[in-house]
Amino acid sequence: MPVIEKNIPVPKVSPYLDRHSHLFLNEMEVGDSVLVTADEFNLRGMRSSIRTRNSRARKGEGRFPWTFFWSREAGYPKNDAEGAIRIWRIK
């Protein structure tokens, strides 16, 4: 059986993990939008995260019942290596 230990400090979360875990989506309000560029985030991963969140919200699962919409941003290349997407919180 595992031994329960007390007063062990929690390690600090790396800023790298915060940046790539899409935590900013949790801070958005309905009607807010954010421009996400490929040099900041992996766009394929970002779209996948949004699809997963939307699917869980529709099913009533997950921590957050929020829905998002994304679209490719005009003026950027239409590829994931250099492009950009805009994300809106719609619900």
Side-chain angles (χ1 to χ4, degrees):
M1 178 170 206
V3 177
I4 298 174
E5 299 177 297
K6 299 193 183 286
N7 299 321
I8 305 295
V10 178
K12 293 187 178 186
V13 176
S14 165
Y16 178 80
L17 293 177
D18 285 346
R19 180 177 150 211
H20 292 283
S21 62
H22 314 149
L23 294 177
F24 65 91
L25 294 174
N26 301 340
E27 299 173 10
M28 294 176 69
E29 297 178 2
V30 175
D32 288 352
S33 73
V34 62
L35 178 67
V36 177
T37 59
D39 61 337
E40 296 175 312
F41 290 97
N42 176 317
L43 297 184
R44 176 179 275 174
M46 179 63 71
R47 291 191 306 266
S48 175
S49 177
I50 291 170
R51 282 191 296 272
T52 301
R53 285 172 175 254
N54 288 347
S55 175
R56 288 181 179 166
R58 280 192 300 274
K59 294 176 184 177
E61 301 171 352
R63 291 178 52 195
F64 306 106
W66 307 324
T67 304
F68 297 90
F69 173 78
W70 69 269
S71 176
R72 290 201 179 270
E73 186 69 8
Y76 285 87
K78 292 189 177 188
N79 63 45
D80 286 348
E82 299 174 6
I85 59 174
R86 182 164 297 275
I87 303 168
W88 291 266
R89 178 170 165 200
I90 58 174
K91 183 177 178 185

